[in-house]
Each structure stands twice: as structure tokens, then as C-alpha cells.
Amino acid sequence: VSYACAVFMFFYFVLEEFQQEKFVAIFRGLGVFLLLPLLAVQCLAVAIRVSAYGLTAQRWYSLLFMIFSFVFVVVALVKKGRYRTVLFPLLAFLLVLASLSPFDGQQMAFRSQSGRIHQILHRYQVQTTEDFETALKDMNNQELEILEGAFDYLYFNQERTDPQISMLFPVYEDFFKEVTVERGIRETAVVKKFYYNVYSDFDNLSELELDISQYKTMHWYNYSFNTES
């Protein structure tokens, strides 16, 4: 949807000097209305992803572009785009906001993922690593999935996280470690995710029988190429 909006905006301005042509007028007028349902669907999709998995830098950038796209649609519909010049300073402002301000993508993502962890820590009144180890045993699968996703996102940038979360990383590594089992199969120890090394038994893949009834997700993983599907 973002690509479609960007392409339409490009041609909307490029073809401006030909707007008296019938085909161009139809393209500019109809295209704006077609963007509305697309933006509505994208907004719903991003809202669902953020609600389930928190904010990432990519989702933050997507959200800012959606805001710009909605403003573009409104401006284009008002008096046939007479006030379109306001779009350029707005775009400049959003670019600065997304890259050179305290609201850039990385910082917004860190705040969101850290907030998801803190919400659960507060719920279980976690103050120390011992509290965290005890709380993990009482958490439900949904809470464990939230922690796993948030910790995974913050894992490679631990120096940027706050001290309370940083001290929990050793416990996180221990608790969510992956367990290697027979025939190239591995599983995450807590949240039931199932990985099977395709390369280890590729010739017999069509006849493979695996009991995955207790797992929530399954991933075919080729270790030789380090790819996942």
C-alpha cells in the first residue's frame, strides 16, 4: 500500500501540467478515491501488528507515511488540490521527526518494546533477577510470547536498554534458550515453536512424519543456507 501511495503521488505531481487532459484528470481524481480503502486496510493491519508485537522502526516509519498519505488524500480532494503546497513542508517535518528527533524510528521502537516488558514486570512486581525467575514460572503463554518477542528485538542493542531490563538478559537467555533434539529438530524451550532442519533429511521430506500437535508454530529451516520459511 505504501508503494502504491508513493507511486501515485509521484505521478500526481508529475502530470500536474497535463491535468487538462481527460485521461490525466480521471487518473488524478479516481486514484485519490481508490487510495482511501487501501489506506484504511493498511491502518488496520498496522494497528493489529503493533497491538500484538509492539512498535518497530519499520512500523513507525510506515505509520508516519500513512499520516502523510491521509493528509495528501484530504488535500487532493479539497478544491482539487489547491492547497497541495502544504504537503512539502509536512513531508520535511516528518522526515526530520523520523530521523533527527527523539521520535526517530529506533528510539520509538525501543520505548515500545521496553514498555511491553515493563508492563509485565510491573504486573508481577519484578525488582530483581530472582523475582523475574519466579515470575516466569507463573506467566501464561501470551505473556511469555510478549517477553520473547520484546527481548529478541532488544537483544542486540542491550547497551541502549535501561538497567532494569539489562540485568534480566542472562535470565532471558537461560529461560528462552533453544534445545537441540534428534534428527536436526530443535524447539524453543518455553514458547512452543518447532524448527526442522530441511537439509538434514531433504530426500525423505515428502514422507516425513512429525508430531507437532503440541506446538504453536512450525518453521522449516535450512541450516546450510541459513534461510527460514
Side-chain angles (χ1 to χ4, degrees):
V1 175
S2 296
Y3 285 121
C5 290
V7 170
F8 177 78
M9 290 178 197
F10 173 78
F11 284 106
Y12 182 89
F13 289 106
V14 167
L15 297 175
E16 184 174 355
E17 60 180 302
F18 305 105
Q19 58 183 315
Q20 301 304 324
E21 299 290 336
K22 184 177 181 180
F23 174 77
V24 174
I26 293 174
F27 171 78
R28 284 163 57 95
L30 184 61
V32 172
F33 285 102
L34 291 178
L35 287 182
L36 287 172
L38 293 177
L39 288 171
V41 171
Q42 187 186 31
C43 185
L44 178 61
V46 172
I48 292 174
R49 296 290 292 181
V50 171
S51 176
Y53 304 108
L55 198 63
T56 63
Q58 292 78 7
R59 289 175 195 140
W60 175 239
Y61 298 141
S62 178
L63 181 61
L64 291 179
F65 187 73
M66 277 194 301
I67 293 173
F68 178 76
S69 299
F70 271 116
V71 175
F72 166 79
V73 169
V74 172
V75 169
L77 291 175
V78 174
K79 294 186 178 182
K80 297 183 178 181
R82 179 179 299 180
Y83 305 108
R84 59 189 175 279
T85 53
V86 303
L87 293 170
F88 299 106
L90 174 62
L91 179 61
F93 169 76
L94 292 177
L95 289 173
V96 171
L97 183 72
S99 56
L100 300 174
S101 77
F103 301 97
D104 68 73
Q106 291 296 328
Q107 294 190 60
M108 291 297 292
F110 271 93
R111 291 192 194 104
S112 174
Q113 299 299 335
S114 297
R116 299 173 77 212
I117 295 175
H118 279 299
Q119 187 177 28
I120 295 177
L121 297 182
H122 178 73
R123 187 180 305 158
Y124 287 89
Q125 299 181 340
V126 173
Q127 299 294 332
T128 65
T129 54
E130 290 77 14
D131 293 341
F132 189 47
E133 290 174 347
T134 302
L136 284 170
K137 299 174 184 178
D138 298 327
M139 293 181 188
N140 57 44
N141 285 342
Q142 183 180 6
E143 292 170 329
L144 290 173
E145 286 188 4
I146 291 174
L147 284 181
E148 185 186 31
F151 270 115
D152 278 347
Y153 191 87
L154 299 174
Y155 185 77
F156 294 103
N157 293 277
Q158 298 181 34
E159 69 280 357
R160 297 179 61 181
T161 59
D162 61 73
Q164 185 182 13
I165 293 179
S166 295
M167 73 176 183
L168 301 179
F169 272 104
V171 180
Y172 155 77
E173 290 179 308
D174 214 32
F175 193 73
F176 287 95
K177 65 184 177 181
E178 292 170 351
V179 180
T180 303
V181 292
E182 60 183 13
R183 293 181 62 194
I185 301 172
R186 64 190 176 95
E187 64 173 331
T188 55
V190 182
V191 181
K192 288 294 186 178
K193 294 184 179 180
F194 188 94
Y195 294 81
Y196 184 80
N197 184 359
V198 178
Y199 187 74
S200 67
D201 206 9
F202 187 79
D203 294 334
N204 301 318
L205 193 58
S206 60
E207 302 175 0
L208 183 64
E209 293 184 5
L210 298 171
D211 181 11
I212 58 173
S213 58
Q214 301 301 314
Y215 296 87
K216 183 172 182 180
T217 60
M218 182 172 181
H219 307 266
W220 297 96
Y221 195 93
N222 190 334
Y223 287 97
S224 62
F225 295 102
N226 195 31
T227 58
E228 183 177 334
S229 60

